[in-house]
Structure formats: structure tokens, C-alpha cells
């Protein structure tokens, strides 16, 4: 039962070949129907269409019954009968009309005959044997023939004979007689015909033949219309069993369909739905349409638009449904495609607008960041001026109130400066501007100093400990300043949130972590100072027994990523209580990541937190340790302590009470950086002070500590040292730490019920100590500073700045003069211009370093400098101490700094020199 | 993070605003109107010099160095600078006067000197010109050098005039018994 549907059909706009509803290759050839040659819609086809009853399947027993019992069925029959009756009526009317005419003619003819008879009465006796018969018979024959054609004949009688002769009349009489005869005959025949007609009419009383013809024609018409249409039609009874189906699926046989329901015939998606739909129509009694997609094994996925109408019998009872389904799979597909396209389009548009928005936001953010960085920078310079001035102001004579105000001002200014520095650091890291320096340093010392520094400003009863495993190399290469920054940040953070117990740093070597495998390659290219290097991964845990990070485990896991977000503190409450900008951790994380490491945190509420960062370092395999006074050890260890290099465990205890004492008697000497101070940090190692010190006060302090903090006044002594050392490291390591601890301490004070006054009281006292210390220092020993600079104006400015900072300086105008000066007297610091006439700063530095190494000025003499002093004098003066030389360069690019370092300089100040830079530098290098 | 940066920015702004308002309020209560006016003029003028790029932060640094012990420090340094300028410029002009065999090394070292000095006093425009000048010297671009020299000459003279005005204002304030605003 394959319908050939390969007709071109015009659909919407485009012409396309419509695939047949049912597949072609199903069913047998014999089953094929409607095998009509394409006859281009000629109406003649109607006759040719051989209505194949096979096209449809019907339950022949019940369908006629259905036709008789339903309105639809009867109406058609009634129509046909009416039509037939009408036709019959028409035929009868025509016959009657004919009959009437004939009757009229006969009457006329009779009347004429009578008249003739009356007129020619006398001739009636005329002999009838007139030999004219032959001719008249001929005529009569002709007449009869005529009569056949014409219903009404001409009333003229043609007579050949001469008028009014006997023969004439004879002939006339004869012909009239014949006419009469013929007329009678015709009448008789018409009567016969009429009878016959009536007879046939009777026999046609059951017009089956005609009706069948009509029916066939109607059906043919339907077939003609429907043969190519993708339409399935059917009738189902009220149990939804098929009674009739047209254009069923080719492979199904009669017994597969008739008497069965959809569900019984088909399986798969949509079948149930259509069944339910039909039932619904059946119940509601209202025709309706629905689109149903079938997903059957039999014909795959097809969508039908189904029209179902209920069928009633004459008693208006529902007896079943008619249903018609049109296959609209392609249309649906197309429609869905369109919808999808439209949807995609909408989505794309939305995405586009989203993207534009994002781009816009990104641009805005970039701009905001840029502005922030610029603004921060712009703010920093004047602010550092403000703070610097305030600090200078604090060294002048002030009354108590003024000092209080000033101290508040300084600490607020410092806080803002710190914040701005943080912001700048962050934006530097983010924009990729920040460059990492590679310097050799000793991790043990770094840890020790970070802890020392923290301990010095500690105001809680906390134990600070450091634990470094033996596997950690003595010296590694990395950006020590950044690493210190991270450690300091983490430690001060840990201290901030810990009220009792301990805070510590643990260092150990680990194998290369998985995340770093790719990064590791990049770092290996650099080779420093010609040393062979291998990489080592060191894991650093900064742990505390603090409040932990709030929330239960699940919550804390969520809070952790936040913790590293900029400015974000664990919660608003904590921010208020503990203060701080919240930038610290963000910077740490960024720095660690910048160095190719990873920063993580684990925490348990009220038990503590551990911040862990793992970083790669290069191991410098230097064959000569004693010679190698790197930058960092320089800062603290002018007298090398043998145990320090390998010492793996440190512990620091706070010295409580010190901060509230109002300036002990012995604070002074050790307060500001100078050489004696180097040995002052207090170190408790398992209760034993392993600190070689020739300072009597120092050893006293130690005893006091061992004795368990009994003597109040001595405690003050020790606190003095403590504070002093704290300051030393604060100064040595930039502002970062000191500010952190300051803000920590002040917020600590206020959070513990202290008022603002109390806070400022504290600051005042500590600053007073500072002041006193500074004055004492100035009187006793002033550091000797040499400025090597050729520009008069620069000299003037630098000199004035130094004066402001409380130092006097010697001047050398070029490298040669510098060497001469260094050779003649000992300096604590040299500020060296790089670009100078006669001899530049780099060469001068090289020569000075060469002297430090060899103990003689041979290299300088070789370079043509006149050295007059006796050699033995120099040798015994300071053969091993390294003179800090700070470059002053107009060029602040990293390359230039590397050049400075390569030539033996310790650090550099970018020009123009400012009070702030100078101050930081002096604090760092003058011990 | 954007938000928090904004917060930080806001914080910075607030703080600076507080600082500014505190100082300005003090000014208004303490000074009489003439001094206040002069001071305003002085400040505006100073700011305009910064804005027009004549001066940069280094000049602020210089001002920081001026105290009771050296009350005329800025003026001293600046006049030294201008003397230096004059001398260096005439040196360079002489060197560049030679149509053949211009001693670019000599010019270069003078430019370097000038750059260092201008950087030290915060003469921003002169410093900027010196950078270009140095480049011209290094590339031995005679026309460039001459042009730069002329510009430097113009620039330092106009700066000199401006600073002279500023110092005059300063003097007026001091004479009126006011303090020089920082």
C-alpha cells in the first residue's frame, strides 16, 4: 500500500520534493494502488480512476450498517436519492410536454378532417379507385419520413392535379385520409412509447445502478484528491477499534488493523497520547485537533496533525470517531528548527550583550584599577611627606598634648601609607610589573628574624617558635624581601588572631608538587653569580593556636577562598575587632603565586589555623661560606655566629609588662641602630641563652629571664632591649611589619576594653622612649656616612636631608675621591652616585670591594689612584667588614639595579633622593 | 575584588579628605583674611606650577628640608640651580657653536649634570627636556641638540620667573606675619 507522493508540492516559499509518508520499500508490488500515470490533473481522470477498494480497509459487514445508522451515512444516501428523483422528474416532465403537443396536433387534424368532409360532402361518393395511389403512397412515405423529424407537420397538402377537377378532389381526399391514418398511427406509437417509458420508469424504482455510479464517482473524486496526500483517515468505534482505515501503513494487513485499537497496533511514543486524545474527543463530544509525534518501531519518528470528530447515530448517541491525520513531520521539524534558530539567535544576542557588558565592566575595572594605582601613587608622595614631617616634628620640643596628637597623626598616616603600599603592591603584581629579585639568603635566619621581630613587639603571652628541618639548605636563592614580607604578614596575622598558646613557622623540604611541574622548567634558566644551582621545594607552615577561621567545617571550606580575597576579612565582626586592611593575605597569595608557589590554609575554629605556602628555591652551592656575606646576613650579623647557620629551632617568649613601663633607665643605648646593637636580640633556646654577648646588661637580662621575671626593674631593662631590637628589625625591613604590629596592638588594646586615651597613652610612652633613645644615640656615636656625588645641587639637597635626619655626611665628588676617603677613614655607609666624571660609582665600588676581599688597595693603585696610607694599618682596621654601599641612580629600571648589585653594591636609591627613601635606607643599613 | 578596591579607594579618599579638612579648618580659624588670601594665592600658584608641569614632587621634598635652621633653603638651592643652569647652558652653547667637530661628549656630560640638578630641585619640564636632549646628544643630532638647548634656555628662564613670583608671595606672607603653607 504505497502511495506515490513524489509530486512537486509547493510549500510555503520553497519547492521541495516531499518524501512519501510511508516508506517505498514496504509492501508488495501487487498491493500497490493508485498506479496512475501522471495525468496532470485532467478531469477525465475521474472516469479512468479505477476505484480500488483495496486502498481502504473496511469492515464490510459493519460499515454499511454504520452508513445506515449514522447521520453522516444517511445524508449522503439521501442526497443521491434526491438527485436521482430530480432527474426522473425532469424526464417525466419532458415526456408529458411532448404528449401534450401530439394530442393538440391530433385534435387539429381531426377538426380539419371534419371540415373537409363537410365542405366536400358531395365528393364523398366519389369512387375511390383512382389510380393515383402509387403516387400518393410515395408521398405518404415521404410525409411519414418528415413526421419523424418534425413533430408538427405543415398543414398544406400538395396536390399535383389541376384545381377543382375531380381528380384533384379525389387526390385530396385520399391524401387527407392518409394523413389522418398517419397521425393516428403516430399517436398510437407515442402512446406505446409512453407506456414503455412508464414501464421502464417502474423498473427503475430501485436506482442502484445509478447510485452506484454516483458513489463511485464521489469515491473516485476523493481518491483523486487524496491519492498523493500524506493523510491517514479512519473510523473507530466507541471502543476505539478500527472499523475503517484509509492509507494505512503498507506492511500492515487487514487483520492487523481492523477491530484493533491504536495501542494494540502500534508501540512507542505518541501512541498512548493519540489514544487518550481520541478518547477525550469521544467523551467530550467535540471535534478537535492536536499535533502528536509518534516514535514507533514501525515507522520511526513522525509527527501527525490529527483531527478527530465524534460520530453520532440517529439517536444522537456517540458511536465512534472519525479521525484524520496529516503527516507534518517536516513542517514540525522546520518549525522546530526555526524556533531553535530563533532561540539560538536570542541566546547569541543575549551573550553578545553580556559580553559587551563584560567588556565594558572590564574596561571600567581596568580604568578604576589604573586610577586607583595612579591615585595611590599620587597620594603616597604627599602623604609620606606628611608622615615624614610629622616624624621630624616629633623630634622637636613638644608638650604632652602636642605629642599625643602628633603620635595619632603619625600612626594614622602610617596606616594609610601601609594601605596605599598594599594597593600598589597588589596592582603591581596584577599588572605584572612586579619583578622578583634573586638573592642568596639563609632561610633559618629569615625565619629567626621574622620571629624575633614579631616577638619584640608582642604584647600577648604567646610562644613563638621556629622549626627548620635539617634538609633545608643553609642558603637558597629567592626574593628574600618578598618571602620575608609573606612570612611577616602571615606571622602578624597569626599573632593577631591568637590570644594564647603559640605561633610558629615550620620549614621543610618537600618533593616537587604536582602543580609546579610545568612551571619548574621556566625558572631553571637563570644562573646567578656563576653558581651551579638546583631547585628545591620548601614547604612553610605558619601555624597558630588562635581562634581559627569561623564556621563549621562545611562553612569554613566556603569561607576559605574568601579569605584570600582582597580586602575580605573572615567576617565583619572580626574586621572590627582585629582591624587591618585585609589586604595582607591577598598580597601574600599573589606573591606566592608570582614566585611559582601555592598558598593554602587549613583551620579549625578555636583550635587554630595553619597557612602553608610552598615555594621553589634555587640552591646556591657556594664553596666558601665565610666569605659570602650576603645581603641579609649583613643586616643582622656583623659578627658571624657559628650556630646560626645550622640552628634549626628557635623559640621566643614575650616580655610582658614592658610596654606599659614609662621609659626605663637603660633603654637608651641600645635603641637606635648602631653596631653594638647587633648582638642584642634576646634568644631563648630551651631556657639557655646561646647568645655570645659581652654586654653586661645583656647578660643581666638573661639571668632575669631565666629567673622567671621576678625583678620588676630588670624586667624593664629587658623590655628595653626587646623594644630596641624590635625597632631595629622594623626599620630594617621596611614599614610593613611595624605598621602591622602597631595596628594590631592598638586594636588589641581597644578590643580589650581600653579606651582611645589608653591607646594613645601607650603610643606616647613608647615614642618618648624612642625620642630619648635617639637623643642619647646622637650624643654618643654618630654613624659616618660618605656621599659620593658630583652634582652640587644634589649634594646640597642630600646634605640637608641628612641633616634633617640627624646625620652629618662627608662628601666626595667622584669615584677617586670616594676611594681616597674610604681608604682614609672608616665609614658606616656610602651613598654612591653611579654616573660621575673621573670615575663612576660602579668602578669605585668594585675597587672598594676588591680591597675588602684582598685587604690591599692594589687594584685601586693599578687604576691610577694615589694611595698613601700604610698597608698594615688598613689590614688591622677592618679587613672583613663589608661596607654598605648604596647606589644612587637616576634609572630605576631593574636592569640598572642588577648592574649595581653585580658591581658589589648592596642596594640602590632611585633619584631624585627623597627624605623617605633616605630614611628607609639608613634605617636598613645603619645598625 | 572590584568592590573592595573601591572601598579601599574610598577609604584613602576619606582619610585624605579628613586630613585636608582638618588642616584647612585650622587655617581659617588661625589666620586673618589677608594672610589667608595670600596663602590661598600662594597655594594656588604652587598648585598651578605643579599642574603646568614646571615642578614635581621633588620640589615638595625640598620644601620639607626648609626649617628654622635653614629658612631660605629652597631659595638657596633654587638660585644655585639657576646659576648652574646658566653656566651649563653657556657651556653647551659654546660647544654647539662649533659648526664642525662638536664635542658631543662634553655636551652630554653637561646635559647629565643639568638633568641631575633639575631632577634634584624638581624642575620637571627642564628635566624632561634634558632626557630628550641626552638622546639627541647620544645620536649626535646637531639640530636636535640646538633645539633642545634653546628650549631648555626658555624653560629654565620661565621657571626662574615663576619661582621668583612664588618667593615674592612667600615674602609677602612672611611680612604679613603668616606662615608659609606647606
Amino acid at each position: 500500500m504505497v502511495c506515490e507522493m513524489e509530486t512537486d508540492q509547493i510549500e510555503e516559499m520553497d519547492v521541495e520534493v516531499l518524501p512519501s509518508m510511508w516508506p517505498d520499500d514496504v509492501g508488495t508490488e501487487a498491493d500497490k494502488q493508485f498506479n496512475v500515470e501522471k495525468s496532470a490533473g485532467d478531469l477525465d481522470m475521474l472516469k479512468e480512476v479505477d476505484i480500488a477498494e483495496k486502498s481502504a480497509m473496511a469492515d464490510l459487514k459493519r460499515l454499511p450498517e454504520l452508513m445506515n445508522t449514522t447521520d453522516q451515512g444517511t445524508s449522503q444516501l439521501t442526497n443521491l436519492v434526491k438527485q436521482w428523483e430530480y432527474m426522473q422528474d425532469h424526464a417525466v416532465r419532458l415526456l408529458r410536454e411532448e404528449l401534450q403537443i401530439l394530442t393538440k396536433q391530433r385534435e387539429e387534424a381531426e377538426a380539419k378532417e371534419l371540415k373537409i368532409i363537410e365542405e366536400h360532402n358531395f365528393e364523398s361518393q366519389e369512387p375511390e379507385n383512382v389510380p393515383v395511389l402509387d403516387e400518393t403512397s410515395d408521398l405518404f412515405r415521404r410525409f411519414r419520413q418528415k413526421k419523424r423529424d418534425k413533430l408538427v407537420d405543415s398543414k398544406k397538402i400538395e396536390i399535383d392535379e389541376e384545381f377543382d377537377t375531380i381528380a384533384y378532389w379525389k387526390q385530396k381526399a385520399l391524401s387527407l385520409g392518409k394523413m389522418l391514418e398517419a397521425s393516428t398511427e403516430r399517436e398510437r406509437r407515442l402512446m406505446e412509447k409512453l407506456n414503455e417509458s412508464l414501464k421502464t420508469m417502474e423498473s427503475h424504482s430501485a436506482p442502484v445502478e445509478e447510485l452506484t455510479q454516483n458513489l463511485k464517482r464521489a469515491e473516485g473524486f476523493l481518491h483523486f484528491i487524496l491519492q498523493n496526500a500524506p493523510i491517514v483517515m479512519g473510523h473507530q468505534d466507541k471502543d476505539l477499534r478500527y472499523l475503517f482505515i484509509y492509507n494505512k501503513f503498507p506492511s500492515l494487513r487487514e487483520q492487523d488493523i481492523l477491530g484493533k485499537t491504536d495501542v494494540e497496533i502500534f508501540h512507542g511514543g505518541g501512541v498512548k497520547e493519540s489514544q487518550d486524545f481520541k478518547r477525550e474527543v469521544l467523551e467530550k463530544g467535540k471535534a478537535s485537533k492536536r499535533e502528536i509525534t509518534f516514535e514507533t518501531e514501525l515507522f520511526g519518528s513522525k509527527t501527525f496533525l490529527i483531527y478527530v470528530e465524534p460520530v453520532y447515530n440517529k439517536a444522537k448517541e456517540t458511536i465512534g470517531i472519525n479521525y484524520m491525520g496529516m503527516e507534518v513531520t517536516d513542517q514540525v521539524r522546520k518549525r522546530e528548527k526555526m524556533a531553535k534558530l530563533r532561540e539560538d539567535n536570542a541566546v547569541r544576542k543575549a551573550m553578545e550583550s553580556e559580553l559587551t557588558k563584560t567588556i565594558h565592566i572590564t574596561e571600567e575595572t581596568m580604568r578604576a584599577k589604573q586610577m586607583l594605582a595612579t591615585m595611590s601613587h599620587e597620594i603616597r608622595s604627599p602623604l609620606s611627606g606628611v608622615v615624614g614631617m610629622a616624624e621630624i616634628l616629633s623630634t622637636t620640643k613638644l608638650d604632652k598634648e602636642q605629642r599625643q596628637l602628633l603620635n595619632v597623626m603619625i600612626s594614622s598616616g602610617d596606616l594609610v601609607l601601609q594601605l596605599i603600599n598594599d594597593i600598589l603592591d597588589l596592582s603591581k603584581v596584577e599588572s605584572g610589573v612586579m619583578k622578583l629579585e634573586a638573592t642568596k639568603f639563609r632561610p633559618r635566619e629569615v625565619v629567626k628574624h621574622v620571629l624575633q621581630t614579631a616577638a619584640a613587639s608582642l604584647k600577648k603571652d604567646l610562644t613563638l617558635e621556629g622549626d627548620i628541618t635539617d634538609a633545608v639548605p643553609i642558603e637558597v636563592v629567592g626574593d628574600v624581601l618578598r618571602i620575608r614580607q609573606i612570612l611577616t604578614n602571615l606571622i602578624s596575622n597569626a599573632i593577631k588572631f591568637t590570644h594564647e598558646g603559640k605561633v610558629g613557622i615550620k620549614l621543610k623540604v618537600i618533593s616537587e608538587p604536582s602543580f609546579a611541574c610545568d612551571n619548574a622548567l621556566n625558572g631553571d634558566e637563570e644562573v646567578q653569580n656563576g653558581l651551579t644551582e638546583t631547585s628545591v621545594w620548601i614547604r612553610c607552615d605558619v601555624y597558630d593556636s588562635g581562634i581559627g577561621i569561623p564556621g563549621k567545617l562545611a562553612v569554613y571550606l566556603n569561607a576559605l577562598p574568601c579569605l584570600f580575597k582582597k580586602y575580605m576579612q573572615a567576617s565583619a565582626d572580626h574586621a572590627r575587632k582585629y582591624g587591618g586592611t585585609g589586604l595582607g593575605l591577598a598580597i601574600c597569595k599573589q606573591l606566592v603565586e608570582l614566585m611559582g608557589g601555592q598558598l593554602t590554609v587549613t583551620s579549625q575554629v578555636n583550635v587554630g589555623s595553619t597557612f602553608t605556602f610552598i615555594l621553589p628555591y634555587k640552591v646556591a652551592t657556594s664553596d666558601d661560606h665565610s666569605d659570602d656575606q650576603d645581603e641579609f646576613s649583613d643586616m643582622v650579623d656583623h659578627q658571624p655566629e657559628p650556630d646560626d647557620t645550622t640552628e634549626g629551632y628557635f623559640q621566643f617568649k614575650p616580655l610582658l609588662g614592658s610596654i606599659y613601663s614609662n621609659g626605663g633607665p637603660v633603654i637608651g643605648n641600645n635603641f637606635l641602630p648602631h653596631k653594638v646593637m647587633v648582638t642584642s636580640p634576646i634568644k631563648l633556646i630551651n631556657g639557655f641563652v646561646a647568645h655570645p654577648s659581652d654586654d653586661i646588661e645583656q647578660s643581666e637580662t638573661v639571668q632575669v629571664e631565666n629567673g622567671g621575671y621576678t625583678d620588676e626593674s630588670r624586667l624593664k631593662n629587658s623590655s628595653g632591649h626587646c623594644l630596641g631590637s624590635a625597632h631595629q628589625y622594623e626599620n630594617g625591613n621596611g614599614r610593613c611589619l611595624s605598621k602591622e604590629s602597631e595596628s594590631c596592638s592598638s586594636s588589641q588594646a581597644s578590643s580589650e576594653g581600653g579606651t582611645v586615651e589608653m591607646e594613645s597613652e601607650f603610643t606616647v610612652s613608647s615614642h618618648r622612649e624612642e625620642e630619648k633613645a635617639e637623643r642619647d644615640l646622637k650624643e654618643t656615636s654618630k654613624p659616618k656616612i660618605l656621599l659620593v656625588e658630583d652634582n652640587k645641587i644634589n649634594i646640597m639637597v642630600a646634605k640637608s636631608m641628612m641633616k634633617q635626619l640627624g646625620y652629618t655626611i662627608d662628601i666626595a665628588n667622584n669615584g677617586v675621591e670616594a676611594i681616597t676617603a674610604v681608604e682614609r677613614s672608616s665609614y658606616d655607609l656610602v651613598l654612591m652616585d653611579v654616573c660621575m666624571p673621573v670615575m663612576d660609582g660602579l668602578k669605585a665600588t668594585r675597587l672598594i670591594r676588591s680591597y675588602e676581599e684582598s685587604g690591599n688597595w692594589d687594584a685601586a693603585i693599578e687604576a691610577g689612584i694615589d694611595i698613601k696610607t700604610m698597608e698594615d694599618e688598613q689590614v688591622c682596621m677592618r679587613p672583613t667588614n663589608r661596607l654598605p654601599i648604596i647606589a644612587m641612580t637616576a634609572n630605576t629600571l631593574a636592569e640598572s639595579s642588577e648592574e649595581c648589585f653585580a658591581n658589589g653594591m648592596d642596594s640602590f636609591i632611585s633619584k631624585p633622593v627623597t627624605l623617605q627613601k633616605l630614611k628607609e635606607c639608613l634605617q636598613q643599613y645603619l645598625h | 575584588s572590584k568592590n573592595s578596591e573601591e572601598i579601599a579607594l574610598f577609604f584613602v579618599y576619606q582619610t585624605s579628605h579628613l586630613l585636608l579638612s582638618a588642616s584647612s579648618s585650622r587655617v581659617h580659624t588661625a589666620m586673618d583674611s589677608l594672610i589667608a588670601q595670600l596663602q590661598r594665592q600662594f597655594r594656588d600658584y604652587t598648585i598651578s606650577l605643579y599642574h603646568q608641569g614646571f615642578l614635581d614632587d621633588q620640589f615638595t621634598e625640598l620644601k620639607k628640608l626648609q626649617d628654622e635652621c635653614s629658612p631660605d633653603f629652597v631659595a638657596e638651592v633654587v638660585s644655585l640651580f639657576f646659576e648652574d643652569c646658566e653656566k651649563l647652558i653657556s657651556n653647551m652653547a659654546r660647544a654647539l657653536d662649533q659648526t664642525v667637530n662638536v664635542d658631543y661628549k662634553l655636551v652630554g656630560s653637561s646635559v647629565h649634570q643639568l638633568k641631575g640638578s633639575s631632577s634634584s630641585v624638581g624642575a620637571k619640564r627642564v628635566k624632561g627636556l634634558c632626557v630628550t636632549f641626552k638622546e639627541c646628544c647620544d645620536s649626535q643630532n646637531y639640530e636636535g641638540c640646538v633645539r633642545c638647548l634653546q628650549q631648555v634656555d626658555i624653560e629654565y628662564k620661565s621657571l626662574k620667573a615663576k619661582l621668583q613670583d612664588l618667593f615674592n608671595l612667600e615674602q609677602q606672607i612672611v611680612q604679613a606675619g603668616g606662615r608659609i603653607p606647606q
Side-chain angles (χ1 to χ4, degrees), chain A residues 794-811:
Chain A
N794 292 355
I795 293 169
M796 196 170 171
V797 172
K799 209 170 174 176
S800 171
M801 285 177 176
M802 284 300 198
K803 192 177 133 203
Q804 194 109 52
L805 293 171
Y807 301 99
T808 49
I809 50 172
D810 290 349
I811 310 289

Side-chain angles (χ1 to χ4, degrees), chain A residues 46-61:
Chain A
L46 256 182
K47 287 162 198 161
E48 285 165 24
V49 170
D50 183 31
I51 295 110
E53 271 83 10
K54 272 191 267 173
S55 71
M57 268 183 195
D59 191 335
L60 289 175
K61 202 169 74 198

